Amino acid sequence: MISKLRRSYDERWYAWAMIAPVVLVLGVIVVYPLVQGLYYSLTDINEANMGRTIGVNHIPASFTFVGLDNYIDVLSGADGEFYARLTWTLTWTVACVALHYSLGLGLAMLLNRPMRMSGLYRVLLVVPWAVPVFVSAFAWRLMLNKDNGVINAVLEGVGIGGVDWLGQPTTAKLAVIMVNVWVGVPFVMVALLGGLQAIPKEQYEAAALDGATAWQRFRHVTLPGLRPVSSTVVLLGIIWTFNQFGVIYLVTEGGPFGSSELLVTYAYKLGFANVRDYAMAATYGTIILSMLLVIATAYRRTLDRRQEAAA
Amino acid sequence: MSTLTPTTRDTAPANAEAAAPRAAAKRPKAWGHRSRGASIALHATLICASLIAVFPVVWVALTSLKPDDHWQRTGDFSGLSLDNYTKVLGDSSFTTWFLNSAVVSVGTTVVGVFISASAGYAVSRLRFPGHRALMWTFLVTQMFPVAVLIVPVYTILTKLHMTNTYGALILVNCTVAVPFCAWMLKGYFDTIPREIDEAGRVDGLTPFGTFWRLVLPLAKPGLAVTGFYTFLTAWAEIAFARTLMSDDAHYTLPVGMGTWIGQFKSEWGMMTAASVLITLPAAALFFFVQRHLVSGLTAGSTKS
């Protein structure tokens, strides 16, 4: 009894020791800045008034506490950007996650069949994942170039005529979604392929014996079997896509006329544009965080409820 | 008390080798036959998809071989040469940047995988107050936009006198990759039978000893995938590297190349060559771990 107690006590210390490095690193580099960000969002801090030391001269900080003014400014629509950015961010997230998931699942199911060269296909299909995002973005900009891009060359070749992809809001939005889908499908595909391989073959055999059609097998064996993987992949997908910075920033820089600017890239611009408005950037950051928290919690709840209903 | 000695490390690979064939033996078998037409459709779809996946990369590689400003001539493949590569490699900074990137990425991979594995193991096996909250916190850290964290992080690292050091960049890159890796590895450790841990305890190993000597070697596929993910994250990171490394000698490859865009406005040719050179190490690593990708990524999360 005593030894058992001691062991659980020891175990606790070991556990804490083993998570300490992660907690320390995340604490210093994420949590502390995050708390500071929360505080900044309640002030009017910017580049000019944040205080700094130039050589021997120390300029004291002179920003003031403004309460919820920034939030009121943003949420009332007074800053003129928030709701436009929000609508586009939501459209972008839904479109990208839906395409990632459906294409990823489709390809995973094809790859999961016994066939020749499946190893080769798998390697080729994962290539976009292995390419650094800024290289992918650069490659696509090269291909989407209005006058010299290969895509327009092909379109002109078949007589449709070139499109100024990155020069018009609608086509620019289509283009960034296309690029992001290209970048993101391999991860989902690989994750779901792993999930598919873990579904016991007996379940399919039993279903086939019962005379289930292909669709019924998919609906009642594949999808439920994938649920644990799917839920993680979709949740991470939502968070990553919502906060996707690289693709937008590198392909369109938010343009044209700010039309493809997501909440994240807009927040970045606020913090790093001509007048560095740290307070507003932090406000946007906080709003993004709260929205993702709500979405993630709601998603989790729904899953739990559905799981209970199924059990 | 601690069993972490050099001799214990040597015994580790032996266990892993024993486990590897078992994982490989689990391959899908056919549960139905398909007609010739279905086979053709299957291959046709996959060939199309593969072409789409590979084309942009191939296109950049092809363009990089075109001389001068021939990148503007889409269909013209005359006079291919390695000129762009000699130009890029001739730039003395390129080697420096490449080495910087290598140090940072390898450093991030080693540190990141180690700390996420240890945290993942603790959450998977040891019961302690707050182990549920910890996983949730990992997820939350992914929600605050990195772009907004840059300024406060810069301030903190300046206070710690860590700007322009590899350590700073390694730490920062870890925070980006670790939460996801810890999640993934926790899932992977969940699939490793607990009996192995108990056997370790009986032999008098500490929890850390069990983790290091018995469980880690069995988790190789999971470690390969997280390592790959961490390496790629660090290799391609720009936002922090640009802010934290302010002098030329400390630039990482992507940041250094970014300076070319300003310098030579129309040097897309050089950019394509540099892109290929940047992609090569990532691609090499990818071919090395790709066998493990499928099993490593989800072996854990499917078992609930």
Side-chain angles (χ1 to χ4, degrees), chain A residues 18 32 121 182 194 228 240 243, chain B residues 43 52 118 142-143 156 298 301:
Chain A
M18 287 178 82
Y32 177 71
Y121 289 135
W182 184 83
W240 286 343
N243 276 344
Chain B
H43 283 279
I52 295 172
S118 100
Q142 304 269 292
M143 295 179 186
I156 292 168
T298 39
S301 47

Side-chain angles (χ1 to χ4, degrees), chain A residues 7-8 10-12 14-19 21-23 25-26 28-34 36-38 40 50 107 110-135 138-143 145 147-150 153 182 187 190-198 201 204-205 217 225 228-229 232 235-236 239-240 243 245 249-250 264 267-268 271-272 278 281-282 284-286 288-289 292-293 296-297 300 307, chain B residues 1 26-31 34 42-43 45-47 49-50 52-57 59-60 63 71-74 115-119 121-123 125-129 134 136 138-145 147-153 155-157 159-160 171-172 174-175 178-180 183-184 201 206-208 211 225 228-229 232 235-239 242-243 254 257 268 271-272 275-276 278-279 282-283 286-287 290-291 293-295 297-298 301-304:
Chain A
R7 219 178 86 180
S8 82
D10 274 357
E11 199 175 278
R12 190 174 292 183
Y14 268 109
W16 277 327
M18 287 178 82
I19 61 167
V22 173
V23 172
V25 171
L26 290 180
V28 174
I29 309 284
V30 180
V31 179
Y32 177 71
L34 206 155
Q36 203 178 27
L38 288 181
Y40 280 175
M50 80 177 294
L107 289 173
L110 294 182
L111 282 181
N112 196 34
R113 287 158 185 256
M115 69 177 136
R116 249 171 274 165
M117 302 198 298
S118 70
L120 178 66
Y121 289 135
R122 201 178 63 203
V123 171
L124 293 178
L125 287 171
V126 185
V127 162
W129 190 13
V131 180
V133 173
F134 63 91
V135 174
F138 174 71
W140 280 95
R141 275 178 66 166
L142 193 68
M143 289 169 28
N145 191 290
D147 301 316
N148 311 309
V150 62
W182 184 83
F187 172 79
V190 170
L192 292 177
L193 185 56
L196 285 174
Q197 295 189 346
K201 293 290 156 298
Y204 286 104
E205 281 155 16
R217 287 200 299 267
V229 186
T232 314
L235 187 58
L236 279 173
I239 295 172
W240 286 343
N243 276 344
F245 180 77
Y249 189 73
L250 295 166
V264 189
Y268 179 78
F272 285 85
Y278 298 133
Y284 266 84
T286 312
I288 292 170
L289 173 69
L292 282 173
L293 270 179
T297 317
R300 267 253 140 105
Q307 214 157 27
Chain B
M1 191 172 133
K26 219 177 95 183
R27 304 222 72 197
K29 276 195 204 104
W31 64 79
R34 52 172 186 268
L42 177 69
H43 283 279
T45 319
L46 284 171
I47 288 171
S50 303
I52 295 172
V54 175
F55 184 78
V57 183
W59 188 250
V60 169
T63 310
W71 65 269
Q72 295 173 337
R73 301 184 210 163
T74 314
I115 65 177
S116 41
S118 100
Y121 179 78
V123 176
R125 289 297 204 278
L126 309 171
R127 287 292 152 260
F128 58 97
L134 189 68
W136 190 240
F138 285 164
L139 204 61
V140 174
T141 61
Q142 304 269 292
M143 295 179 186
F144 200 74
V148 181
L149 285 180
I150 292 176
V151 174
V153 167
T155 321
I156 292 168
L157 291 171
K159 274 184 200 154
L160 297 171
L171 272 187
V172 170
C174 275
T175 61
V178 157
F180 173 66
W183 256 61
M184 229 158 73
R201 295 295 171 79
T206 59
F208 188 82
F211 160 70
V225 181
F228 173 63
Y229 177 84
L232 272 190
W235 188 252
E237 207 282 329
I238 316 183
R242 188 179 281 160
T243 333
M257 273 178 50
W268 285 48
M271 282 292 289
T272 51
S275 298
V276 172
I278 286 191
T279 309
F286 163 69
F287 281 109
Q290 58 95 9
R291 265 181 326 118
L293 275 179
V294 173
S295 60
L297 196 57
T298 39
S301 47
T302 52
K303 207 176 172 188
S304 63

Side-chain angles (χ1 to χ4, degrees), chain A residues 287-304:
Chain A
I287 292 174
I288 292 170
L289 173 69
S290 347
M291 285 197 295
L292 282 173
L293 270 179
V294 171
I295 295 172
T297 317
Y299 184 72
R300 267 253 140 105
R301 287 257 170 84
T302 333
L303 282 185
D304 287 351

Side-chain angles (χ1 to χ4, degrees), chain A residues 72-87:
Chain A
I72 294 167
D73 218 29
V74 171
L75 294 175
S76 67
D79 78 332
E81 280 289 340
F82 180 71
Y83 288 100
R85 294 306 110 232
L86 177 63
T87 319

